[in-house]
Amino acid sequence: MSIKFKQDNLVGQSNSFLNVLDQVSQIAPLDKPILIIGERGTGKELIAARLHFLSQRWDQQYLTLNCASLNENLLESELFGHEAGAFTGASKRHEGRFERAHGGTLFLDELANTPGLVQEKLLRVIEYGEFERVGGSRSIKTDVRLICATNEDLPVLAEQGEFRADLLDRLAFDVITLPPMRERQEDIMVLAEHFAINMARELGFELFSGFSEKAKRTLLDYHWPGNVRELKNVVERSVYRTNNAYVPVHDIQLDPFESPYRPRQRIKAPRQQAQALPAQDSTNALPVATTAVVAAKSNLFDFSQVQDFKTLSQDFEVSLIKQALAASQYNQKKTAELLNLTYHQLRGYMKKYQLLESQQA
Ligand SMILES: Nc1ncnc2c1ncn2[C@@H]1O[C@H](COP(=O)(O)OP(=O)(O)OP(=O)(O)O)[C@@H](O)[C@H]1O
Ligand SMILES: [Mg+2]
C-alpha cells in the first residue's frame, strides 16, 4: 500500500502550489490533527499521504477511510471496531481503523457529512486518545495522528449546526487549503506533459511528441471544474486516442460524453407551462407552443405534461396560423404560402378554428 502512495509524486511549480508544499513539509513532523480542504480533484489524497510519509510515523500504518461511503452504523464500526454480538451479523470481534492505525496515521476523507454520533466519538478520541468498540464497555487507548479532508466549507457547516464546532476546532490545528486548477494556470501544461508521458509509457510508446498549439490552447483556456483529476483524464484520453508516438496530440476532447447519439435526460417542463398553452390566444403564443414542439422533437419534452394531446396540437396550429397571418399583414394568400399550405387548406383551418370571423371583424 505504502509503495503506491510513494510513487505518486506531486507535480506543480506555481507559487500557490509550492506554498502548499512548504506548508506540508513544515507541518508534517508535528503530531497534530490536520484538515485538508479543496475542491474535488485538487489532490487532497496525495497531500494527506505526503503528510504521513514526511512525518516520524512514515514507517507505521497509514490507513484511510472515506466517511461518505458508509452509513452511520457501519462507519462507527469501521472506525472504532465492534465486539462479537454487538449487532446482528457481528459474529466476531472487529478491530476498527483507530485500533489498527495505532502508532501511525489515519486519513478520514469526506468528513463533512459524518453523523453526529461519530463526530462525538471522534471528539473524544482526539481529546483523550481513547474510545470504546461498538457494543463494548472497555476504553481502548490509541495513538493515532488524524488527517481529515473535505471539499465542503466546514466553518459554514459548523455555523449552521451541521458540524460540531468543538470538533472542528480540534481537527483544525492547521488547515491546508489546496488551490483549484484555475488558480494554477502555469501548472496546466506541466501537469499535462506529466500525465501524457506516463500514459505514453503505459501504451508502450518510445516517446511522446508533445501537444500541438491548438491542443495547448484548448488545455490552457479551459476552466477545469474537476481540477487535476479532470485534466489527467482529458490528457490520458487524448494520448490514447491519438495512438501515435510520433504525432503531437492535436485533438483534445474535454467532454467524453459528447456524441450526437447521446441519450438525453428528459428535462421536466414546469407544470404551469403546459397548462398555459391552451389559454394563450395572442400572437405571442407561438414561442411557447414552438418550445413544446422543439422540446418534443429533441427528446427533451416531458410527455407526462401532456394532459390533452388534441388541445395541445390545436393550440399549436392556431398559434402558428396567427403568427403567419401577422407576418404577412393578414394577407391570406401570403399566409398560406408561408405555411406551405394551399389557399383552400388555410381557409379550411381558419374556418375550423373560427379565425375567419376575427379576420372579418
Ligand atoms: N499535484 C499533482 N501532481 C500529480 N498528480 C496529481 C496532483 N494533484 C492531483 N493529482 C492526481 O489527480 C487525481 C485526483 O487527486 P485526489 O484524488 O488526491 O483529489 P481529491 O482532492 O481527493 O479529489 P476528491 O475531492 O474528488 O476526492 C489523482 O489521480 C491524483 O493522482
Ligand atoms: Mg478524494
Side-chain angles (χ1 to χ4, degrees), residues 254-273:
L254 294 167
D255 180 5
F257 293 98
E258 204 178 278
S259 162
Y261 313 118
R262 175 179 179 176
R264 298 279 166 184
Q265 185 72 20
R266 277 193 277 152
I267 297 168
K268 283 215 170 185
R271 190 154 275 275
Q272 62 279 33
Q273 178 176 315

Side-chain angles (χ1 to χ4, degrees), residues 8-12 17 21 36 38-48 66 107 109-110 149-151 178 184 187 191 194-195 226-230 232-233 236:
D8 266 330
N9 40 15
L10 283 154
V11 176
F17 184 67
L21 291 189
I36 306 171
E39 289 179 14
R40 67 189 157 104
T42 43
K44 296 185 289 296
E45 283 164 57
L46 293 187
I47 292 290
N66 185 324
F107 172 46
D109 203 357
E110 304 206 34
T150 180
N151 50 21
L178 298 186
R184 299 171 56 188
D187 285 342
L191 280 160
H194 168 76
F195 295 134
N227 294 297
V228 188
R229 180 182 296 111
E230 188 182 13
K232 183 170 189 262
N233 283 339
E236 289 181 349

Side-chain angles (χ1 to χ4, degrees), residues 197 200-201 204-210 244-247:
I197 289 167
R201 195 174 292 140
F205 294 175
E206 281 168 14
L207 55 101
F208 167 64
S209 298
N244 187 333
Y246 305 98
V247 175

